[in-house]
Amino acid sequence: MRIIHLTDPHLTTLPSFAAGRFLFNKRFLGAMSWSRRQKYHLRSQLDLLVKDIRLEAPDLLICTGDLVQIGTEAEIIQAKDWLDELASICRVILVPGNHDCYQRESYQLIERYWSPYFFQERHKDQGFPSIFQHQGITFIGLCSAQAEPFWSARGMLGGEQLEKLKSILETSSDTFQCIFLHHPPVPGMCAKRKSLRDAILLSHLLKEQNVQMVLHGHVHQNQIYTANERTKVFATASASNVAGHAPASYRLFEIKAGGRDWEVLASLKVFGSSITKELTRHSW
Ligand SMILES: [Fe+2]
């Protein structure tokens, strides 16, 4: 099975002068921050990536959030149009990021417009974790995003979601398990102000349940690391970035069952001053 991971496109047409519309509101700071960052996140760069992904003809595309900047309805509708475009390539599954749930009302908006990409039809009333199973692989989406105070980009899964995750992992233990979420799943992988509040609980669960693979975004960097002896974690840079330190990237995973083992051929494609491709091989 061929899977694409892309993340953090930060799609918005919010103009730099828009901040004044949100005075005395958290969105004021978000719009101000966007006026500094908008030169690094370009729709043209994102379109280049998507064009390349189309040629790869994947079976599944996983997006780990931050589709927008300050969670307004206009941005959320714009991102829905982009998701519909991706869905013409292959099945798309999505979890939200902190920018998508920027204000309390943003969550209702993303549920209204993005729900077909969060949940399979038959699971849509059960909320997160989302589940998709195909060819002996279980994909589990976690929602780590919630509205936070203006200084915070932290995330949280909460007890109920962790309980449900535990039971999904127990019942699918004979499959290859791939969890995806916006925030890094283990402590210490980003500044505290941006971290997952219950990362310790999640990392215990990853170890206890022998999860093979985790995908995440949020850090805007390409990283491969381990959460324990078995769990490999892949972070991917923003899909629209033109900044030299972390140019736009996506990952392609080819997951194969080989006898009693699993093999993953992972390629990272980076769209910097030139386009580079890096291959790594992983087995469990
Ligand atoms: Fe984020």
Side-chain angles (χ1 to χ4, degrees):
M1 186 174 186
R2 290 158 59 79
I3 297 129
I4 296 279
H5 177 221
L6 74 73
T7 191
D8 297 74
H10 289 277
L11 273 171
T12 185
T13 47
L14 191 69
S16 52
F17 55 78
R21 281 169 37 204
F22 306 113
L23 277 178
F24 310 115
N25 179 318
K26 179 186 170 190
R27 284 187 174 129
F28 176 75
L29 295 168
M32 290 296 284
S33 142
W34 180 245
S35 65
R36 286 193 309 275
R37 294 166 63 203
Q38 63 181 334
K39 58 181 178 289
Y40 300 117
H41 291 281
L42 300 188
R43 176 66 194 238
S44 55
Q45 182 80 332
L46 180 63
D47 289 345
L48 195 67
L49 249 78
V50 172
K51 198 171 159 196
D52 201 72
I53 288 171
R54 193 176 285 279
L55 297 175
E56 291 287 357
D59 302 302
L60 175 69
L61 192 151
I62 295 176
C63 180
T64 47
D66 276 4
L67 273 63
V68 300
Q69 191 60 25
I70 55 172
T72 64
E73 187 165 16
E75 288 181 297
I76 289 167
I77 292 173
Q78 187 191 3
K80 183 211 174 283
D81 293 342
W82 178 71
L83 288 166
D84 292 345
E85 184 194 326
L86 287 186
S88 71
I89 302 174
C90 64
R91 181 188 289 276
V92 175
I93 47 179
L94 170 72
V95 287
N98 53 305
H99 281 272
D100 305 321
C101 295
Y102 209 71
Q103 297 276 71
R104 214 175 280 275
E105 74 269 18
S106 306
Y107 191 81
Q108 280 136 30
L109 292 168
I110 62 173
E111 245 192 337
R112 184 187 313 158
Y113 292 104
W114 300 352
S115 192
Y117 300 106
F118 288 148
F119 308 110
Q120 301 299 296
E121 188 55 35
R122 66 183 185 282
H123 294 139
K124 81 171 193 295
D125 297 326
Q126 290 160 27
F128 287 101
S130 60
I131 311 167
F132 173 63
Q133 289 187 305
H134 190 69
Q135 294 183 357
I137 307 168
T138 304
F139 298 93
I140 304 163
L142 300 177
C143 176
S144 59
Q146 57 179 12
E148 288 275 329
F150 70 85
W151 61 83
S152 168
R154 298 194 77 179
M156 177 143 153
L157 299 169
E160 196 185 331
Q161 199 177 180
L162 284 166
E163 273 302 309
K164 284 187 188 169
L165 173 63
K166 185 171 186 225
S167 114
I168 293 167
L169 291 171
E170 282 169 355
T171 52
S172 61
S173 61
D174 57 340
T175 66
F176 183 92
Q177 295 170 324
C178 172
I179 290 178
F180 56 102
L181 74 166
H182 184 67
H183 290 78
V186 296
M189 297 311 295
C190 63
K192 191 175 174 200
R193 171 189 97 69
K194 299 182 171 186
S195 64
L196 185 68
R197 291 178 196 277
D198 34 18
I200 292 179
L201 294 174
L202 177 59
S203 50
H204 281 158
L205 207 49
L206 296 175
K207 186 174 163 73
E208 180 191 289
Q209 299 293 325
N210 283 316
V211 171
Q212 284 95 341
M213 192 164 143
V214 180
L215 310 177
H216 73 85
H218 192 50
V219 292
H220 292 205
Q221 281 173 34
N222 291 313
Q223 301 169 335
I224 302 179
Y225 56 96
T226 51
N228 54 61
E229 312 77 60
R230 184 168 167 95
T231 312
K232 285 172 185 154
V233 187
F234 299 83
T236 305
S238 157
S240 62
N241 210 335
V242 290
H245 67 281
S249 307
Y250 74 79
R251 293 184 191 274
L252 170 68
F253 299 97
E254 293 187 54
I255 306 182
K256 284 185 204 151
R260 285 171 49 231
D261 302 326
W262 287 93
E263 243 197 16
V264 173
L265 185 62
S267 49
L268 169 70
K269 203 147 182 192
V270 181
F271 292 71
S273 51
S274 60
I275 300 175
T276 61
K277 195 168 171 178
E278 188 185 304
L279 282 177
T280 49
R281 198 178 284 275
H282 309 268
S283 54
W284 288 263

